[in-house]
Amino acid sequence: MSLNRRQILTYAAAACSLPAMASAASDNKPMQFIVPFGPGGSGDISARMLAEWITKKTGRSVVVENKPGANGIIGVEAARKAPADGSVLLLATTSTHLANPYLFKKLPYDPGKDFRLVGTFGTGSFYILVNPSAPYKTLANFVQAAKANPGKLNYGYFNATSSVTAAMFAATAGITLTGVPYKQVGQAMTELMAGQIQVVFTDSVQGDPFVTSGQLHALAVHSAARLKRFPNIPLFRESYPKFDVSAGFLGVAVPAATPVATQQELNDMINDAVTSEPVKSRLEGFGFTPYRASLADLVKFEQAERAKWPNYVKVANLEVQ
């Protein structure tokens, strides 16, 4: 069968349009953003902000799904088994990607091999929070009370960051605290307000509403400088200059087998999101410092930060599970 020139051009154009049509169909596929912790935390809030931004900019729906449990392992495992096509994102945190490899003997995933970071919300600050009715009003008061009652002051923890930070501070201050595990940050906050536990170490995103409302009192904050919104809250380093632990990290990861081109598209999109309004201002209001990070930058950051955790675990004298 012979074809004229117009037919040839028509079929050629149709053939060329197939990849674009397939790509467009794929782009219309709803995305899933897995948050490996409960709702209401800093990661959950940041993930929902990004999901909203993606939907507004691209028209593609993004479903945020909380999968808490086992220090983030349950959610991470769900993401590891997901299709490596960019349709499933994972909230990567200090706990899941930096601390867990050194806190669990048999971690079912390897963050460096199983995932690739494609974006970051930046690093943040964290508080030491107590009940306003507690007898200690300053960090020095709290340390004095802990020394007078070794092991009798309980701290609530809900992920690796909150537990390691508390243990690190206890080791630095020369005190003994007893950890009480919780599945979600909200449970720990509720118990703290009820007086069932005495202290919680948590990032500023999770702590801000409680500090602003006066429901909880911040004894100190770990940050590069005093917070503009709470200038009266002293820095940890003003009393304990040797207390140094990485500020909380929040990022976005995908399965390692995701095509590099797709990783780059996601990286560009996330960089645009965190450095544009209103996301940028909201993150800064939470105490984060958002910035553009290339895929190569993210690899270097992850490797450098993870290398610090063996020493953190050692100093905190934490038992590997």
Side-chain angles (χ1 to χ4, degrees), residues 46 53 68 70 88 98 109 123 133 147 210 235 255 257 288 292 317:
S46 299
W53 189 93
V88 178
L98 306 179
Y109 67 91
T123 54
S133 64
K147 287 184 175 180
F210 298 93
L235 300 174
F288 281 90
R292 301 185 72 89
N317 194 31

Side-chain angles (χ1 to χ4, degrees), residues 23 26-34 50 54 58 60-63 79 81-90 115-116 118 252-267 269-270:
S23 177
S26 175
D27 287 345
N28 288 330
K29 176 183 178 182
M31 296 177 70
Q32 181 185 19
F33 202 154
I34 296 176
L50 179 58
I54 292 174
T58 69
R60 188 175 183 184
S61 64
V62 185
V63 179
K81 298 173 182 177
D85 59 3
S87 66
V88 178
L89 308 178
L90 169 70
F115 295 95
R116 294 290 180 269
V118 292
V252 182
V254 294
T258 302
V260 175
T262 302
Q263 294 182 38
Q264 187 60 60
E265 290 176 6
L266 290 169
N267 179 243
M269 182 168 59
I270 295 168

Side-chain angles (χ1 to χ4, degrees), residues 40-92:
S42 58
D44 179 65
I45 295 172
S46 299
R48 293 180 189 279
M49 280 198 299
L50 179 58
E52 182 180 358
W53 189 93
I54 292 174
T55 298
K56 286 184 177 180
K57 289 293 182 179
T58 69
R60 188 175 183 184
S61 64
V62 185
V63 179
V64 177
E65 186 172 356
N66 298 90
K67 290 183 176 292
N71 211 42
I73 294 175
I74 292 175
V76 174
E77 274 294 272
R80 184 177 68 84
K81 298 173 182 177
D85 59 3
S87 66
V88 178
L89 308 178
L90 169 70
L91 180 78

